[in-house]
Amino acid sequence: MSMKTPSRLGAALAVVAGFCAQPAPEIAHAEGIDTTRPYTVVVGPPRGHAPSERVDARRTGQSRSRLPFPPVDKWRRHLGGTIEVPPVVDETGRIYTALTVPEVVAYSPDGKEVWRTRLGSAPAIAPPVLTSDGTILLVTSAGAAVGLGRDGRVQFATPLGQRGRDLDVAPLARSDGSVVVGGRALVELDANGGVRARASLPERAVGALIEGPEGTIATGEAGGVYVFRPPNPPKKVGTFGGPLRRGAALEGGRTLLAVVNGKTLVGLDLKTGLTHVRAGDVGLGTYDEPVTIHPRGFAMFSTSTGLLFGVDAAGNERLRMVLDKGAQPAAPDPAAPAGTAAATGFFNAPADARPSPAMIVDAEGRVAFARQNGRVGVARPDGNVALVSEKLCAAPVAIQPAGDDKLVAACRDGTIWMLGI
């Protein structure tokens, strides 16, 4: 039995609709708990093949399930609206997708629509997340945190006192059953949707909230790094020294990795606040972000020109692959300046300023990727790349693991694809 107060679907939707129609309040409150009744609080890491954006609470992109190789198209469905945020996948393989219309759709592993729930009049602004007790939590553009049960029914709807881009950071489902949401301010909710804590940030957070060793980590758009552990206010532990677009990933227990200005991979030590450059500008296009952490402990990132690099903590190159046909290797020119495309042996790679979705890696080192040009596939550690399609869709949003030998790709046009073997 999960820690929720019984509520009617219509009443919960009315809360959301009423919130959409009024200015965001300064103080947000949620439905309370009846202390005369026993409740069980479900704790522990959320279950699922992809319970959140970037798979886990550290945002590493590491899949616990095996990625398909070679991947093939098993089925595809158009959901009746466009998609801007990644789907999540529970432990049964069921896929939950939020649309740019105020709807959430659940599909079974074999491609059957299970349910479709409307979120009042405002769509989800942030990626959904599965909590410890299996609730699907969504944050709407009107400023409400909506909890859905596995049957699609609304369990709670909590006004947050913020709206729009101030809420578009990927929420963090913590192991104690709580959820942290926000952007300009951080709001911690209990399993019942009640507000436990709230704190403002000096700058708007970007990317995704991260579960760190000392509390919730938020990365700011100007590069600041903050740790939030109620009842204390957020503490600034350092800065990346430049703007971030899509947040960071936690390598090990104390090193945050982020791409700064699209050209530099920087590590920040959470204990000391010191930073170091892991990889500088190599003249091969901008870096896609966020980074992916290989199970062997090094950071992986791709470039806009279609190259995949792996770099360890000492800055040594551990991996290099070609993901796009345009990035073909040529003979390096030893006389060329260090770090240029000629010196590294790659010429005339077609630059694309648009970032590609973040990569996924499994325990065997297989890497799933979706390029912004629509090229989707899986690469093995030996460099062998198997494609599903040269152009799966015009604008891929995300890829997520969906069970052993299964992978879900979401496209902005509202299509989801199940890939397998």
Side-chain angles (χ1 to χ4, degrees):
M1 180 170 58
S2 60
M3 184 177 174
K4 297 188 178 70
T5 304
S7 59
R8 296 179 181 274
L9 174 61
L13 288 177
V15 172
V16 180
F19 186 81
C20 296
Q22 300 177 14
E26 291 298 323
I27 300 177
H29 297 285
E31 191 177 10
I33 299 173
D34 181 358
T35 57
T36 64
R37 297 182 56 194
Y39 286 86
T40 299
V41 178
V42 180
V43 298
R47 294 174 298 164
H49 300 293
S52 65
E53 185 182 33
R54 306 298 298 121
V55 184
D56 58 29
R58 294 190 303 159
R59 314 300 182 180
T60 64
Q62 293 182 5
S63 171
R64 292 184 291 271
S65 51
R66 184 177 59 247
L67 297 176
F69 192 93
V72 297
D73 173 16
K74 305 300 288 186
W75 54 259
R76 57 178 167 173
R77 301 289 184 271
H78 192 278
L79 307 190
T82 55
I83 301 172
E84 292 288 348
V85 294
V88 292
V89 184
D90 69 16
E91 69 278 10
T92 70
R94 183 178 290 183
I95 305 158
Y96 305 95
T97 308
L99 305 178
T100 55
V101 296
E103 291 182 349
V104 181
V105 188
Y107 271 82
S108 66
D110 58 0
K112 295 179 181 178
E113 184 174 318
V114 180
W115 51 256
R116 181 179 295 255
T117 295
R118 187 163 183 86
L119 300 174
S121 60
I125 189 71
V129 64
L130 299 177
T131 69
S132 297
D133 67 1
T135 298
I136 305 124
L137 186 133
L138 303 106
V139 178
T140 72
S141 60
V146 181
L148 303 181
R150 293 293 182 96
D151 58 0
R153 296 184 180 182
V154 176
Q155 304 297 310
F156 59 80
T158 304
L160 297 170
Q162 306 175 76
R163 58 177 60 210
R165 292 190 64 213
D166 287 343
L167 286 168
D168 64 0
V169 174
L172 171 65
R174 302 181 69 241
S175 297
D176 65 359
S178 66
V179 182
V180 185
V181 302
R184 180 64 63 179
L186 301 181
V187 182
E188 185 177 285
L189 306 175
D190 62 24
N192 191 53
V195 175
R196 295 203 314 197
R198 174 196 301 276
S200 298
L201 289 173
E203 56 184 302
R204 189 175 67 88
V206 294
L209 301 176
I210 299 171
E211 186 163 25
E214 302 297 330
T216 300
I217 301 170
T219 52
E221 58 188 345
V225 177
Y226 306 86
V227 175
F228 180 43
R229 188 172 187 174
N232 300 316
K235 175 185 176 182
K236 187 173 184 177
V237 296
T239 177
F240 280 102
L244 308 181
R245 290 184 302 176
R246 298 175 64 189
L250 182 59
E251 179 188 61
R254 58 185 290 177
T255 303
L256 274 186
L257 291 172
V259 174
V260 179
N261 283 317
K263 291 285 188 177
T264 310
L265 176 61
V266 178
L268 182 145
D269 189 290
L270 292 172
K271 295 288 186 182
T272 65
L274 298 177
T275 59
H276 67 277
V277 174
R278 184 74 60 91
D281 182 6
V282 294
L284 297 170
T286 58
Y287 295 170
D288 294 319
E289 50 181 312
V291 300
T292 300
I293 308 300
H294 194 279
R296 292 175 61 186
F298 57 86
M300 297 191 302
F301 61 92
S302 59
T303 70
S304 59
T305 54
L307 302 176
L308 184 158
F309 289 97
V311 183
D312 65 19
N316 299 313
E317 186 175 305
R318 299 285 300 276
L319 183 67
R320 180 184 292 205
M321 294 185 190
V322 177
L323 301 182
D324 277 352
K325 291 189 299 183
Q328 293 296 331
D333 181 0
T340 64
T344 53
F346 288 83
F347 294 90
N348 301 321
D352 186 347
R354 298 177 302 169
S356 295
M359 300 176 293
I360 301 294
V361 62
D362 67 12
E364 299 177 20
R366 295 177 178 179
V367 179
F369 62 89
R371 304 296 301 161
Q372 193 54 250
N373 59 17
R375 203 171 201 241
V376 176
V378 175
R380 291 195 312 206
D382 61 6
N384 188 9
V385 176
L387 293 179
V388 181
S389 171
E390 286 284 358
K391 196 171 184 64
L392 192 74
C393 58
V397 172
I399 49 175
Q400 292 275 48
D404 279 344
D405 299 317
K406 294 179 180 179
L407 187 67
V408 170
C411 301
R412 189 159 286 113
D413 64 5
T415 303
I416 58 171
W417 298 70
M418 174 64 75
L419 312 176
I421 57 175

